[in-house]
Amino acid sequence: AQRVTQPEKLLSVFKGAPVELKCNYSYSGSPELFWYVQYSRQRLQLLLRHISRESIKGFTADLNKGETSFHLKKPFAQEEDSAMYYCALLRSGNTPLVFGKGTRLSVIA
Amino acid sequence: DAGITQSPRHKVTETGTPVTLRCHQTENHRYMYWYRQDPGHGLRLIHYSYGVKDTDKGEVSDGYSVSRSKTEDFLLTLESATSSQTSVYFCAISDTQGAKGGYTFGSGTRLTVV
């Protein structure tokens, strides 16, 4: 079964510390992976996708097919990064996104 | 404006009553989705639509039905609401299933079944 695992429900870091939100996936095909973010009282929004190899708000994520991982990283956390983060997998064919259970990031001042 | 609205934003209903949630888009996107969000479970797909009158089940479809009679509206109906359906419901849209532009989500409907 195709699956997305985010092992941490909650991650607390101090402001200025590095952040790594873990995401592992299980899929035998060629995946497309995304990170979505939900700030307090806001709708979910796309943060970044691996095919774009972009950096958004200082966050980056690299697809590691050998380790089947797509960890989200930021070198220096900011208080405004506090939010719920979801990793999502897009399989080939006409199938919807599969989301992980999410990790709540709390940045402590 | 994100081009997608959900109604109602909040609803409290009694066990056993039918409930319909509405998702309306102005983007003319082909694909529409209903997810529920629960602590410890993340986002789980209920149903989705790949065109007018074309729908399919997601992983948690039991107790839910959907209809899409026109491109802009995707309705989610709880046939007979139960307390286990207390949740936050999100609608999303995309222009392609490949979702190169990502999904656009609505603001959610908080449903409480008492």
Side-chain angles (χ1 to χ4, degrees):
Chain A
Q2 295 78 31
R3 195 167 292 169
V4 177
T5 302
Q6 293 180 249
E8 303 134 331
K9 287 185 179 179
L10 174 65
L11 182 64
S12 296
V13 301
F14 286 102
K15 178 181 175 181
V19 175
E20 181 178 67
L21 299 169
K22 291 183 167 51
C23 173
N24 289 90
Y25 66 91
S26 171
Y27 179 53
S28 58
S30 182
E32 289 187 41
L33 285 142
F34 304 79
W35 278 99
Y36 281 78
V37 61
Q38 186 180 26
Y39 301 103
S40 180
R41 302 184 185 281
Q42 294 186 27
R43 64 184 72 197
L44 280 93
Q45 55 188 283
L46 177 65
L47 181 61
L48 55 80
R49 50 200 161 179
H50 91 271
I51 58 173
S52 299
R53 300 187 65 80
E54 56 203 344
S55 173
I56 304 293
K57 299 184 179 183
F59 284 98
T60 59
D62 290 317
L63 178 61
N64 185 322
K65 291 187 178 180
E67 296 183 357
T68 60
S69 67
F70 188 56
H71 302 328
L72 183 68
K73 300 178 183 179
K74 185 170 183 177
F76 308 103
Q78 303 298 314
E79 289 180 74
E80 55 265 30
D81 296 328
S82 294
M84 194 74 178
Y85 291 81
Y86 291 97
C87 183
L89 165 70
L90 183 68
R91 300 157 287 175
S92 58
N94 289 329
T95 54
L97 282 175
V98 176
F99 286 85
K101 294 184 178 182
T103 297
R104 181 168 298 282
L105 175 65
S106 176
V107 181
I108 305 163
Chain B
D1 188 359
I4 175 173
T5 55
Q6 292 183 232
S7 59
R9 292 295 309 275
H10 302 273
K11 186 169 182 66
V12 179
T13 192
E14 293 186 349
T15 299
T17 60
V19 178
T20 295
L21 309 182
R22 181 182 184 234
C23 179
H24 178 77
Q25 61 145 328
T26 57
E27 304 295 322
N28 200 35
H29 283 348
R30 178 181 174 186
Y31 297 91
M32 299 185 76
Y33 315 85
W34 277 108
Y35 287 87
R36 60 178 288 175
Q37 183 185 43
D38 302 287
H41 293 278
L43 285 161
R44 293 180 292 174
L45 182 68
I46 305 171
H47 282 279
Y48 66 102
S49 170
Y50 45 94
V52 174
K53 296 192 189 324
D54 291 324
T55 65
D56 206 348
K57 295 179 179 180
E59 63 177 301
V60 290
S61 60
D62 286 349
Y64 302 94
S65 63
V66 290
S67 66
R68 191 164 178 206
S69 58
K70 43 187 180 176
T71 300
E72 56 266 34
D73 288 325
F74 192 33
L75 304 180
L76 176 70
T77 297
L78 287 66
E79 308 288 349
S80 176
T82 67
S83 57
S84 64
Q85 294 177 310
T86 292
S87 185
V88 181
Y89 292 86
F90 285 99
C91 177
I93 60 175
S94 67
D95 55 357
T96 65
Q97 191 64 284
K100 296 296 189 285
Y103 285 14
T104 300
F105 281 85
S107 297
T109 294
R110 184 174 296 275
L111 177 68
T112 302
V113 183
V114 298

